[in-house]
Amino acid sequence: MEEIIYKTENGNTRVIEKMIVSKFFEDLKHRMDFELLCSKGLDQRYFNQRDLHRPGLALAGFVKLFTHEKIQILGNTENYYLLSLSEEGRRSAFNKVFEFPIPCIIVTNGNTVFPEMLELCKEKNIPLAVTGLNTTDAIHLISGYLDEMFAPEISVHGSMVDVYGIGMLFTGKSGIGKSEIALDLIERGHRLVADDTVKINRIAENILVARGHSNLKHFMEIRGVGILDVREMFGIRAVRVQKRLEVQVDLQLWDGKEEYERLGLDEQLTGILDVKIPLIRLPIYPGKNITVIAEAIALNQLLKIYGYDAAKEFSEKLTKEIQNKQALSTKVVDTYLERDFE
Amino acid sequence: MLEKEVVVTNHAGIHARPSALLVKMASRFDAEVFLSCEGTEVNAKSIMSVMMLAAALGSVVKIRTEGADEVEALRAIEALFASKFNED
């Protein structure tokens, strides 16, 4: 069985449709220190929810709106409640809850698992594991993992470089020189994230993270030369595995008819996975040093992040200057009037 | 070569945004376009130069165009001044 089933949204966005429970346990077993008490159903059960659920109410008998399709976390609250019941009471509570196709159950705080629960899990093929972590830590860790796994992803044709700590994505037509610019930036001490195919994930509401394809690693193709291994050539400091995407630089062949940004007062934005990031349309022509411009873009972006916008600053200064000039000319009128002895 | 004097009529003068409009307009023509104000002449296709003029409301600016499409260039720049750069 396939571990993860993907689906495509909006034409080019890949999201997880469902994921097999065994992969979840496999990926987290070291971090969570799981003790798998019931492994039945591990390879048959899929889940499709990134959220977790604590089934306290369901155990108490209220199963309306019970989000059974989520991973169920049994913390201290549930444990104490179950302890307060008789064995018979627990059995009926479990019976009611386990009627639902639950993906798996995780007991936190290293709490002892009730034999009747384990028995029922085995009967119903519901995987059950215990972790020594407390509930908050366990939920935090699992949520982080699931958020990352379920993050929507797109693949973009371009080069991703970390320039002075700013994640820059270079896009543009095939053959315009994206890889060459990346190579030049690496030569100047910046770090390659990915070349040719860049995978971008939205890991939080407004955060994009770019990384390379696992097959491509840090290989790149330079036209006329062939395939290069950047990590081998320039060493470990020339590469990095992933980087937050902060600016997109779209390279375009210079066109005299096209109007390019001259001031930088109005930031153009691009939407990748619905996250707005600055877009710079950069006209290029032979002999133009894009690398230096890329560095300048990165530094300017850093200044903006730190609250200094050069274009705005300059514009305000100029406006003030013009106002002063105007004030001066009215002053001349004032002096004239002062000397008007009518 | 053509020359014409215009007056800055928009309230805020030739600040950053009008300068950008001027430069973009001037760049559309093959003709050379110059602006001068208070005795300083600058290339109208260079934004920093145009902003340097810092022409205020009421300033007299001389437009000078030179080249194949100098007539059209002069007319376009003049129109831009007349439109108050879409301000006010």
Side-chain angles (χ1 to χ4, degrees):
Chain A
M1 278 228 256
E2 270 184 87
E3 286 189 329
I4 298 174
I5 313 269
Y6 294 100
K7 63 178 174 188
T8 310
E9 278 177 3
N10 305 326
N12 60 356
T13 307
R14 191 179 79 159
V15 287
I16 287 186
E17 187 182 324
K18 53 183 184 173
M19 176 176 162
I20 205 157
V21 175
S22 58
K23 178 167 173 59
F24 165 76
F25 280 110
E26 185 58 35
D27 286 352
L28 284 177
K29 74 178 175 202
H30 295 299
R31 275 188 283 171
M32 294 286 295
D33 198 18
F34 278 134
E35 189 192 345
L36 206 56
L37 295 181
C38 173
S39 55
K40 280 179 132 183
L42 215 54
D43 289 320
Q44 286 116 49
R45 281 183 191 271
Y46 282 93
F47 68 105
N48 59 2
Q49 298 281 321
R50 66 199 293 174
D51 300 322
L52 306 174
H53 187 248
R54 293 188 62 177
L57 270 177
L59 286 168
F62 187 72
V63 287
K64 215 173 164 184
L65 306 178
F66 171 40
T67 47
H68 58 84
E69 62 280 7
K70 295 175 182 172
I71 290 175
Q72 306 291 322
I73 309 283
L74 264 67
N76 279 340
T77 324
E78 287 80 4
N79 197 49
Y80 282 120
Y81 169 70
L82 291 166
L83 272 174
S84 76
L85 302 176
S86 67
E87 195 189 319
E88 216 31 58
R90 279 197 292 272
R91 223 175 254 282
S92 87
F94 291 138
N95 263 325
K96 204 163 182 188
V97 170
F98 289 10
E99 276 308 307
F100 294 91
I102 294 167
C104 66
I105 294 169
I106 290 158
V107 175
T108 60
N109 294 298
N111 286 334
T112 318
V113 171
F114 298 100
E116 52 273 24
M117 178 159 86
L118 187 56
E119 200 179 292
L120 211 57
C121 277
K122 285 182 176 159
E123 194 189 311
K124 303 264 187 194
N125 288 333
I126 298 172
L128 171 74
V130 181
T131 173
L133 295 177
N134 67 45
T135 312
T136 311
D137 288 349
I139 288 179
H140 188 73
L141 230 154
I142 298 172
S143 293
Y145 166 80
L146 290 179
D147 278 349
E148 200 175 301
M149 290 303 289
F150 281 85
E153 177 184 294
I154 57 163
S155 282
V156 174
H157 183 61
S159 294
M160 178 78 192
V161 187
D162 169 354
V163 185
Y164 294 127
I166 294 288
M168 288 179 113
L169 174 69
F170 294 93
T171 54
K173 283 204 185 100
S174 212
I176 202 160
K178 299 180 290 290
S179 300
E180 288 75 4
I181 289 163
L183 193 60
D184 207 15
L185 284 165
I186 294 160
E187 182 77 30
R188 292 171 70 102
H190 304 291
R191 302 170 74 187
L192 178 75
V193 179
D195 189 58
D196 204 67
T197 303
V198 183
K199 290 203 299 181
I200 301 169
N201 287 87
R202 185 182 68 215
I203 60 158
E205 200 53 47
N206 56 355
I207 293 176
L208 297 174
V209 167
R211 53 174 76 99
H213 196 280
S214 51
N215 293 342
L216 299 175
K217 291 263 165 47
H218 292 102
F219 287 95
M220 67 156 59
E221 187 228 0
I222 296 290
R223 245 153 260 225
V225 180
I227 291 171
L228 305 175
D229 184 342
V230 172
R231 195 180 141 175
E232 281 299 308
M233 282 173 87
F234 297 95
I236 193 74
R237 65 173 183 175
V239 297
R240 60 181 295 170
V241 175
Q242 60 175 49
K243 176 75 189 88
R244 179 172 173 181
L245 171 53
E246 284 155 303
V247 188
Q248 181 184 351
V249 178
D250 191 45
L251 304 168
Q252 306 177 336
L253 275 182
W254 194 75
D255 177 355
K257 289 187 183 65
E258 189 80 32
E259 285 183 350
Y260 299 102
E261 182 59 47
R262 302 297 294 257
L263 288 170
L265 276 177
D266 306 304
E267 205 170 49
Q268 277 199 57
L269 298 172
T270 177
I272 297 177
L273 292 171
D274 296 328
V275 178
K276 297 265 180 274
I277 60 161
L279 166 71
I280 288 159
R281 287 164 51 234
L282 200 60
I284 69 170
Y285 42 80
K288 189 162 174 175
N289 192 336
I290 303 296
T291 313
V292 173
I293 296 172
E295 285 180 336
I297 292 171
L299 292 174
N300 197 40
Q301 193 60 32
L302 275 174
L303 280 177
K304 278 187 194 173
I305 292 169
Y306 280 77
Y308 181 89
D309 188 328
K312 215 180 265 172
E313 210 72 27
F314 184 89
S315 170
E316 277 162 16
K317 248 184 166 166
L318 183 65
T319 310
K320 217 175 267 172
E321 179 103 351
I322 293 172
Q323 277 166 357
N324 282 345
K325 256 187 174 178
Q326 255 165 319
L328 215 65
S329 58
T330 33
K331 230 186 208 161
V332 174
V333 178
D334 288 345
T335 29
Y336 168 76
L337 288 175
E338 262 170 35
R339 287 167 181 277
D340 185 4
F341 302 114
E342 271 182 330
Chain B
M1 190 192 78
L2 294 172
E3 275 185 359
K4 177 141 195 188
E5 280 188 350
V6 289
V7 177
V8 179
T9 52
N10 66 314
H11 193 76
I14 313 290
H15 61 100
R17 285 180 200 280
S19 303
L21 290 176
L22 273 171
V23 169
K24 279 180 183 168
M25 183 59 81
S27 303
R28 285 186 199 167
F29 300 96
D30 289 329
E32 302 236 50
V33 184
F34 300 95
L35 297 175
S36 55
C37 182
E38 292 163 5
T40 312
E41 187 181 74
V42 297
N43 189 332
K45 294 181 186 181
S46 151
I47 190 152
M48 294 310 273
S49 307
V50 174
M51 289 199 287
M52 191 206 76
L53 287 180
L57 171 69
S59 302
V60 177
V61 175
K62 192 168 76 190
I63 309 165
R64 183 165 73 86
T65 59
E66 196 168 353
D69 49 5
E70 57 186 30
V71 181
E72 293 84 356
L74 183 71
R75 210 174 285 153
I77 299 290
E78 202 188 337
L80 208 48
F81 273 92
S83 75
K84 299 188 177 188
F85 307 98
N86 306 321
E87 291 186 348
D88 297 354

